[in-house]
Amino acid sequence: MPNQPSPETLLLRAEPIHAAAAVEAALDRLGAEITRELGDSRPLVLCVMSGAVVFAGQLLPRLAFPLEFDYLHVSRYHDRTEGSHIVWKILPGDNLKGRSVLVLDDILDEGLTLAEVRKKCLRAGAARVLIAVLARKETGRPKPLEADFVGLAVPDRYVFGCGMDVHGWWRNLPGIHALKEG
């Protein structure tokens, strides 16, 4: 994209919000909480691509129960820093009927995308849909849904790392960073 800072400049202009150790501790806690809640239900776990792939890859080994894994692909950001309309690239599969479904996403921001994911899963016949997010953005504004499992709170700024990107870059950072305001 024209006039866009380099990935290195973006990182230099950012501030660390949660170090890798805090992310690891949150993943351990989430694994225990989700295991307590879903351990006997043999759920279907759905990863929201692309952002949740890092979160899912780190969380799944911490879930001490049998599960099935699949994914869906929906986006509002399209490599930008502001959300727009929802685009479905891959819909949830047809194996949701009567199931407990755990949806994994990188961040609960405004909640619009996850609200649509929950509706789609319920319309497809899921018995219940639980949401787990690595990060919940503290916007101070109401959201159309709340996550059932939250790893870390982040400020109402553009955050990246741990699967979340900035202009398509830095999903691979082990900690969470925020662009500086202004």
Side-chain angles (χ1 to χ4, degrees):
M1 293 184 181
N3 301 324
Q4 194 179 87
S6 72
E8 296 79 9
T9 301
L10 288 168
L11 186 57
L12 286 172
R13 291 182 185 167
E15 108 180 66
I17 300 298
H18 292 291
V23 173
E24 289 294 320
L27 288 163
D28 288 341
R29 179 180 47 77
L30 285 172
E33 290 174 4
I34 293 168
T35 296
R36 276 193 300 278
E37 179 68 27
L38 291 172
D40 295 331
S41 67
R42 297 180 185 236
L44 172 63
V45 178
L46 291 175
C47 174
V48 179
M49 298 300 281
S50 294
V53 71
V54 173
F55 175 45
Q58 294 177 332
L59 181 65
L60 288 175
R62 291 168 160 93
L63 302 180
F65 54 86
L67 58 86
E68 286 185 70
F69 181 77
D70 205 346
Y71 69 97
L72 55 90
H73 197 166
V74 60
S75 178
R76 285 186 59 236
Y77 287 88
H78 322 291
D79 290 337
R80 294 189 306 266
T81 57
E82 293 182 19
S84 61
H85 64 283
I86 292 173
V87 174
W88 286 92
K89 297 179 181 180
I90 305 288
L91 293 168
D94 59 0
N95 55 343
L96 280 72
K97 288 184 178 33
R99 306 283 303 273
S100 289
V101 175
L102 175 65
V103 176
L104 304 180
D105 204 359
D106 54 358
I107 189 166
L108 174 59
D109 191 335
E110 295 175 21
L112 300 172
T113 303
L114 282 171
E116 286 302 312
V117 168
R118 177 177 271 161
K119 283 182 202 171
K120 279 260 194 237
C121 290
L122 290 170
R123 279 190 218 120
R128 69 177 177 159
V129 179
L130 300 175
I131 307 284
V133 295
L134 177 61
R136 181 191 190 280
K137 189 175 282 189
E138 301 298 324
T139 65
R141 296 178 298 279
K143 300 177 190 301
L145 64 69
E146 287 298 332
D148 301 286
F149 307 98
V150 176
L152 299 162
V154 296
D156 190 12
R157 294 170 47 199
Y158 195 89
V159 295
F160 61 97
C162 298
M164 298 171 279
D165 74 294
V166 57
H167 300 297
W169 302 104
W170 294 122
R171 290 184 191 275
N172 54 310
L173 290 173
I176 299 173
H177 294 70
L179 292 180
K180 290 183 181 165
E181 297 179 290

